[in-house]
Amino acid sequence: MRGRCSWVTWKLLHSIKPPELSRSCSGYVSRVRYLMRLKEDDEACREALKSGSFLLYNNLAPLLKSNNNIYKPAFLKASDLETILKKIGGDKHIVSESVLLGCNENGEAQFSLDVGDLDRSALEQQCEGVFVDLRKAFFMLSGPEAPIVTKGQALIRWHQTNGFCSATGQPTVRNQSGSHRICHSSGITYYPKMSPVVIVLVSDGSRCLLGRQATFPPGLYSALAGFCDMGESVEEALRREVAEEVGLEVETLRFSGSQHWPFPQSSFMVACHATVNPNKTQVSVDKAELEDAHWFTFEEMTEALQLKKPPRISKGEPPMFWVPPSFAIANQLIQEWASQQQLTRN
Ligand SMILES: NC(=O)c1ccc[n+]([C@@H]2O[C@H](COP(=O)([O-])OP(=O)(O)OC[C@H]3O[C@@H](n4cnc5c(N)ncnc54)[C@H](O)[C@@H]3O)[C@@H](O)[C@H]2O)c1
Ligand SMILES: [Mg+2]
């Protein structure tokens, strides 16, 4: 039986108008509710495709546009996309393969679309943009724009790799927004997935601990990170990862923030600060996981934070120490630690 509360909710959902028409809600609330509707209502989403904007990808590389060397994601209006597809001989129906990304400040739906089957350079020319590998794109985009670009890539990748039901082997079918896929044979609904990862900056009070994997670029050290095991809490995963990777026991931990991380598959990074007993700081590195880990001083960290790009490698010289750039949550942890140290030193 439908209770009063759910009936009211149902009425609300079905009377939602695009944000610009709904004056009673704050901009944010009306945008969220509009998106909520587009996610589940195929007809409304098909309608939004006609007036939305599109971020194109070529084999997962996003299209960026430069204005005076400032790069931005190159969102195209629906009508412009149609014109461009016509010019390069692309099928206009591929637009329906777009995945719903979000809703911009003007209340327009945003979509991501991989056009890997079309002529890359013809598209770049028509769109006056360039397809850039996502890792490189991170260095070219300003902070606030990076998340929508990674979200678009993550959703496209998820659809590309979830075309079949893992129980029956039958094809799965997406809804219009791409918010889920269903196997009609088993009835299983699949939703885009992220793996939870803890990332932790360990401090002994005056130094912080960073590690590097053998696959990292030369000289790069980062906060310790690890995937959560099934059934673990964030706190348990964090204690375990620190013990496994560097042989230390965490005494306290404090939540800092979180981030979606697209590499290599989508992870949900939960970032924390942790402390160890300053008398028990002897590191024993698990060489299967890390190539090296050691304690860094405040001065070393401050210097590394000044570098805004990966340093050049000079032949014969040892690689210069650097830390993840500002788009990585590891950088946020390091910045916070350095500010805290600065306060205690003043
Ligand atoms: N955004 C950032 O600032 C930042 C910084 C550091 C690391 N990271 C990311 O954190 C993630 C985890 O770090 P890590 O590599 O040290 O983890 P880790 O220490 O758990 O070691 C990785 C290993 O864990 C195993 N594993 C267990 N569950 C897994 C799963 N769901 N997916 C993949 N492998 C799984 C695999 O054997 C893999 O080789 C990496 O993807 C890395 O890119 C992000
Ligand atoms: Mg690790």
Side-chain angles (χ1 to χ4, degrees), residues 103-159:
C103 179
N104 66 17
E105 295 284 318
N106 303 325
E108 292 161 354
Q110 296 169 305
F111 298 90
S112 58
L113 174 64
D114 199 287
V115 287
D117 292 338
L118 302 179
D119 185 327
R120 181 179 178 133
S121 57
L123 266 170
E124 288 181 331
Q125 208 180 355
Q126 288 296 329
C127 302
E128 295 172 358
V130 54
F131 290 106
V132 182
D133 175 79
L134 190 59
R135 281 188 194 269
K136 278 195 198 142
F138 265 148
F139 287 98
M140 297 157 79
L141 291 167
S142 71
E145 280 156 348
I148 194 138
V149 177
T150 61
K151 180 178 174 180
Q153 195 218 48
L155 285 168
I156 291 169
R157 188 203 296 271
W158 181 79
H159 280 283

Side-chain angles (χ1 to χ4, degrees), residues 42-61:
D42 286 356
E43 203 43 59
C45 191
R46 268 192 281 277
E47 204 49 39
L49 280 170
K50 295 178 190 162
S51 57
S53 56
F54 296 79
L55 181 56
L56 303 187
Y57 292 75
N58 184 287
N59 295 315
L60 299 174

Side-chain angles (χ1 to χ4, degrees), residues 182-253:
I182 295 180
C183 168
H184 290 301
S185 174
S186 65
I188 298 175
T189 304
Y190 293 91
Y191 293 94
K193 198 185 79 176
M194 297 187 283
S195 300
V197 171
V198 288
I199 176 159
V200 54
L201 189 62
V202 177
S203 172
D204 70 351
S206 59
R207 301 172 301 168
C208 72
L209 184 67
L210 301 179
R212 58 169 278 110
Q213 293 178 7
T215 53
F216 282 10
L220 175 68
Y221 279 76
S222 184
L224 305 179
F227 289 94
C228 294
D229 281 348
M230 184 68 83
E232 263 183 341
S233 67
V234 165
E235 298 88 319
E236 288 163 345
L238 191 150
R239 280 192 83 197
R240 176 184 52 75
E241 278 295 330
V242 174
E244 274 178 12
E245 295 193 352
V246 292
L248 293 176
E249 204 161 321
V250 160
E251 288 199 327
T252 69
L253 67 91

Side-chain angles (χ1 to χ4, degrees), residues 162-166 168-174 181-186 188 190:
N162 284 271
F164 295 89
C165 174
S166 50
T168 63
Q170 295 297 311
T172 56
V173 180
R174 56 169 279 184
R181 303 185 71 93
I182 295 180
C183 168
H184 290 301
S185 174
S186 65
I188 298 175
Y190 293 91

Side-chain angles (χ1 to χ4, degrees), residues 3 25 75 179 211 258 274 304:
C25 288
F75 277 98
S179 67
S258 61

